[in-house]
Amino acid sequence: MKSLCEICEQSIYGPSYSCPQCHLYFHLDCVHLSKKVNHPCHSNHPLQLIAVESLTGGAEKFCISCLAAAEKFISHCSICNFSIWLICFKNPPPLVVEHTKTHKHPLNLFPKKMPFTCDVCGEEDDEMPYVCVLCAFLIHGACIYLPRVININRHDHRMSFTRHLGHGYLKCGVCHQSLSQYHGAYSCSVCPGYAAHLQRVVRNGVWDGVELEEIPDDTKYIAPFKVVGDDLIVHFSHGYHTLRLNKENVTHSNRWLQCDACMYPVGFQSIYVCDECGYVLH
Ligand SMILES: [Zn+2]
Ligand SMILES: [Zn+2]
Ligand SMILES: [Zn+2]
Ligand SMILES: [Zn+2]
Ligand SMILES: [Zn+2]
Ligand SMILES: [Zn+2]
Ligand SMILES: [Zn+2]
Ligand SMILES: [Zn+2]
């Protein structure tokens, strides 16, 4: 088991500061973090590093990026009541994303929490959306890099990303709630009427994590890694160390971490990490 840093509450890889009497550990960069810093996600005022327990009244304890509650420290602006957890502070959502498969114009982060309906998945949320002002287009950060063709663990055929689902689909094959014809979904081209909600498929481990868009349907998929133990693999992109499946914190804190193989953010998927050097793979 890796030790957690006392400041950012994340695992420590490589060198750290420690207090042997109390068995406390600290990342080098967390120790050097200044108490007052400017951050691109909140350009108006400097953010202050403060203990969560010293936040009083209505001061925001939840991170604006991953929506999780920090337990120890958080970066906070007391003028606007803006809070970002240290893991998200270190891996902030990018201010601009260009991904023409999803939207033809660059998407800008709107750095304030607001209630909105995502134009891609159709789900309502209260978080920071990405926006294209030209098109009045709003999207979850998590919906920007959705895979296009996938296998899910409860249907025999491939499912394809469909931008506007259209008529003829009633209930989601995964959660059995109703589907919106105006929004996106994964649909099966073989079974009429079979479709599933986008986010519920990729977030809940229903998808096996492999993007099949470039892989023809008739070729047998050959895994690019060898299983060498329980939750342990050796991947061709990082042949010298064993990677461990990280099951903690998959839903929030890793969201904007970059995968070292494909360079996309890891989003809500499970990740493999190298305990030796912190290499991340999804
Ligand atoms: Zn730390
Ligand atoms: Zn966060
Ligand atoms: Zn502020
Ligand atoms: Zn969405
Ligand atoms: Zn646009
Ligand atoms: Zn569903
Ligand atoms: Zn089918
Ligand atoms: Zn390594």
Side-chain angles (χ1 to χ4, degrees):
M1 194 57 220
K2 286 275 148 177
S3 338
L4 295 185
C5 167
E6 280 306 299
I7 297 177
C8 70
E9 304 166 52
Q10 300 299 311
S11 310
I12 295 181
Y13 306 103
S16 63
Y17 288 110
S18 64
C19 169
Q21 284 101 316
C22 314
H23 300 284
L24 298 180
Y25 299 86
F26 304 84
H27 285 119
L28 304 187
D29 60 339
C30 284
V31 165
H32 291 287
L33 209 59
S34 155
K35 285 202 78 182
K36 251 193 167 153
V37 275
N38 293 308
H39 195 269
C41 279
H42 191 73
S43 48
N44 299 354
H45 312 109
L47 297 177
Q48 233 181 324
L49 179 64
I50 58 173
V52 171
E53 57 187 18
S54 71
L55 290 172
T56 49
E60 186 65 79
K61 296 181 174 68
F62 291 88
C63 171
I64 188 159
S65 175
C66 67
L67 312 174
E71 283 175 17
K72 291 179 175 161
F73 290 92
I74 203 156
S75 310
H76 182 70
C77 170
S78 58
I79 302 167
C80 318
N81 198 13
F82 176 101
S83 294
I84 184 165
W85 195 16
L86 295 198
I87 178 70
C88 296
F89 179 95
K90 287 198 234 172
N91 296 287
L95 297 179
V96 184
V97 176
E98 291 199 48
H99 192 58
T100 47
K101 268 189 190 174
T102 299
H103 191 75
K104 56 183 186 287
H105 305 122
L107 296 166
N108 289 282
L109 179 70
F110 186 80
K112 197 171 218 171
K113 233 159 95 173
M114 67 171 220
F116 71 101
T117 303
C118 172
D119 281 316
V120 172
C121 72
E123 312 230 4
E124 278 171 49
D125 258 311
D126 188 9
E127 60 170 70
M128 295 187 288
Y130 279 84
V131 298
C132 173
V133 177
L134 287 175
C135 307
F137 178 84
L138 293 162
I139 182 173
H140 287 120
C143 284
I144 296 175
Y145 293 107
L146 286 173
R148 300 289 130 167
V149 183
I150 61 172
N151 265 326
I152 63 173
N153 62 11
R154 57 197 70 190
H155 194 72
D156 288 340
H157 308 120
R158 289 178 168 206
M159 307 280 288
S160 302
F161 176 87
T162 311
R163 193 47 218 285
H164 297 284
L165 188 60
H167 288 291
Y169 298 88
L170 297 170
K171 296 257 149 76
C172 167
V174 172
C175 70
H176 309 292
Q177 318 252 322
S178 55
L179 287 161
S180 154
Q181 68 176 93
Y182 305 112
H183 293 102
Y186 287 109
S187 64
C188 175
S189 55
V190 181
C191 309
Y194 191 89
H197 287 112
L198 298 173
Q199 280 298 336
R200 292 179 213 174
V201 165
V202 296
R203 275 190 203 191
N204 303 333
V206 175
W207 172 40
D208 63 8
V210 183
E211 159 72 272
L212 298 172
E213 192 180 25
E214 309 290 334
I215 303 171
D217 209 353
D218 50 309
T219 49
K220 181 120 184 56
Y221 169 70
I222 299 161
F225 57 84
K226 259 206 326 261
V227 177
V228 294
D230 277 354
D231 293 335
L232 294 175
I233 61 164
V234 173
H235 190 265
F236 82 96
S237 69
H238 190 70
Y240 22 92
H241 299 129
T242 303
L243 304 179
R244 184 176 48 80
L245 180 64
N246 182 343
K247 293 177 181 158
E248 319 130 37
N249 291 337
V250 279
T251 49
H252 48 268
S253 60
N254 295 318
R255 191 165 171 184
W256 291 108
L257 264 180
Q258 207 177 45
C259 170
D260 286 313
C262 71
M263 300 302 165
Y264 281 163
V266 300
F268 291 100
Q269 298 167 45
S270 307
I271 55 170
Y272 285 94
V273 282
C274 174
D275 285 338
E276 308 283 330
C277 60
Y279 186 89
V280 171
L281 185 73
H282 80 307

